[in-house]
Amino acid sequence: MTSPILLRLMPIALLLASNVFMTFAWYGHLKFRHAPLLLVIVVSWGIAFFEYCLAVPANRMGSSVYSAAQLKGMQEVITLSVFAVFSVLYLGQKITVNHLIGFALIAGGAWFLFRAPVSA
């Protein structure tokens, strides 16, 4: 039997890891603008495979303790968090106050998803 805390934390950890892969798949190529588009698509697709290998189990496992809407809201907040770090550290771009406000509004929306009881 799996511990209730592990059932709640494992999907979050898997979604976090999957988002690192997906962020590189979607935006990592921006540092290689000289690379042919077809090559970028194939490489990005290959990276995205590993994202799916983590996201699908995260959602399947997470559905035992979270609703689909909660999983999606969690996914969006994790995506924005990973993207913000990636954007600064990898792409060298700045996060502005407007970006932070937009991210906070999305996180606020996700917060409302967790206020309602989970219905299976």
Side-chain angles (χ1 to χ4, degrees):
M1 188 162 152
T2 308
S3 107
I5 291 179
L6 190 59
L7 283 174
R8 290 193 173 279
L9 294 180
M10 193 60 153
I12 295 168
L14 289 170
L15 287 173
L16 182 62
S18 77
N19 269 279
V20 171
F21 282 103
M22 201 56 171
T23 301
F24 271 98
W26 282 19
Y27 302 102
H29 62 87
L30 295 179
K31 284 187 95 169
F32 305 97
R33 293 184 184 265
H34 62 279
L37 184 57
L38 183 58
L39 175 63
V40 168
I41 290 169
V42 170
V43 169
S44 292
W45 195 28
I47 294 169
F49 170 77
F50 295 101
E51 184 269 341
Y52 275 83
C53 289
L54 296 168
V56 170
N59 286 315
R60 175 145 318 174
M61 187 183 311
S63 70
S64 68
V65 291
Y66 300 111
S67 70
Q70 288 174 326
L71 286 166
K72 183 59 180 169
M74 188 185 311
Q75 168 73 21
E76 295 305 325
V77 171
I78 291 169
T79 296
L80 289 173
S81 301
V82 169
F83 177 78
V85 172
F86 176 87
S87 181
V88 171
L89 297 180
Y90 185 78
L91 296 177
Q93 297 182 0
K94 294 181 180 178
I95 299 294
T96 68
V97 171
N98 285 343
H99 294 137
L100 293 175
I101 292 169
F103 292 170
L105 289 170
I106 293 169
W111 178 78
F112 278 100
L113 298 171
F114 284 87
R115 289 185 40 114
V118 176
S119 60

